[in-house]
Amino acid sequence: MRLLLVEDDALLGDGLRVGLRQAGYAVDWAQDGLAAKLSLQTEEYDLVVLDLGLPKVTGLELLRWLRGQGKSAGILILTARDTIPDRITGLDAGADDYLIKPFDLDELIARLRALSRRNSGIVTPLLQHGAITLDPAAHQVKNGSDLVDLSAREFALLHLLLLHMGRVQTRDQLESHLYGWGEEVESNSIEVHIHHLRKKLGNSLIRTLRGIGYVIDKP
Ligand code: CA
């Protein structure tokens, strides 16, 4: 999942970036409204965490612009002010959810999980394919009743392929979902993660389309 974090507070922004990356998101961090707008024009994001009080372009202006562009990313707004008008205006302008500062990182991550579920039209929190079950909330994968030990990137990759079951994901798409700005990507990293997933889950689950990408076919 690629996520744009828009937060001008350096300390909070840095903490959120680290926490969200540990939770498996590919995080880009914009520190003002203008930088955020540029990122949104050049990258596709699944989720946007948006502080309302921003320099250059305010969060609310950005939100209205974003929805005006017809972008479907899930948007969660952050507000320091516990004022009802602020939140209502944000929700009316197209935000999907909000949190009031200060908030708990675990709560933010839980809200984001719910948001991406709603956005992809998936009702159940569990993703299943044959004997394989992925639980995004518990960050767990089981093969039958056996727990499968996956790295954060392997988990993120499997999660993405299962969310888009039956639809081919290109290598570029997978890379952009797994790595944020400034994170080093080895040229064969996706192949390596796929290789590990196959060793752990069997060869037949993920199909390679040579020169294009990968797909998990519907069972
Ligand atoms: Ca702010």
Side-chain angles (χ1 to χ4, degrees):
M1 295 270 159
R2 195 170 189 96
L3 182 151
L4 181 66
L5 169 64
V6 192
E7 171 60 67
D8 60 316
D9 181 310
L11 204 63
L12 178 62
D14 195 48
L16 287 176
R17 178 173 58 171
V18 171
L20 290 168
R21 275 190 183 165
Q22 276 167 0
Y25 291 101
V27 182
D28 296 339
W29 176 22
Q31 300 196 48
D32 64 62
L34 195 60
K37 199 168 172 179
L38 290 174
S39 310
L40 288 159
Q41 282 169 328
T42 50
E43 299 269 0
E44 283 298 320
Y45 293 97
D46 306 290
L47 295 165
V48 180
V49 175
L50 178 65
D51 180 30
L52 285 189
L54 289 172
K56 295 185 185 172
V57 177
T58 71
L60 213 52
E61 285 169 330
L62 197 65
L63 186 57
R64 292 204 175 101
W65 171 81
L66 191 60
R67 287 314 189 205
Q69 301 284 302
K71 303 255 185 202
S72 63
I75 302 172
L76 185 147
I77 52 177
L78 303 175
T79 169
R81 289 155 292 178
D82 183 10
T83 57
I84 293 170
D86 227 36
R87 277 178 274 148
I88 292 177
T89 312
L91 293 170
D92 280 344
D96 298 292
D97 202 356
Y98 66 88
L99 273 178
I100 297 156
K101 294 177 185 176
F103 54 85
D104 186 71
L105 179 66
D106 288 337
E107 180 172 11
L108 172 62
I109 291 168
R111 299 274 192 103
L112 291 173
R113 270 199 305 264
L115 204 53
S116 41
R117 267 206 312 273
R118 286 206 298 277
N119 257 19
S120 50
I122 291 168
V123 186
T124 154
L126 295 181
L127 294 168
Q128 272 187 310
H129 186 283
I132 291 158
T133 313
L134 182 145
D135 182 344
H139 227 267
Q140 245 178 25
V141 173
K142 283 183 177 176
N143 193 352
S145 56
D146 298 331
L147 269 180
V148 183
D149 187 28
L150 298 182
S151 73
R153 302 264 201 234
E154 288 161 14
F155 184 91
L157 191 55
L158 181 65
H159 189 188
L160 194 72
L161 288 169
L162 285 172
L163 269 178
H164 301 283
M165 209 184 291
R167 299 212 300 273
V168 177
Q169 302 297 301
T170 66
R171 252 188 60 175
D172 283 353
Q173 282 173 324
L174 294 173
E175 271 181 9
S176 90
H177 276 272
L178 254 59
Y179 299 93
W181 297 335
E183 288 190 273
E184 214 161 299
V185 188
E186 302 275 334
S187 64
N188 65 342
S189 66
I190 298 293
E191 284 82 349
V192 172
H193 294 316
I194 294 278
H195 173 75
H196 288 149
L197 281 173
R198 282 180 173 147
K199 266 172 75 175
K200 293 174 183 180
L201 296 166
N203 278 325
S204 60
L205 180 66
I206 302 167
R207 191 159 59 85
T208 304
L209 285 94
R210 205 164 286 281
I212 302 171
Y214 300 94
V215 63
I216 292 182
D217 292 305
K218 292 185 176 167

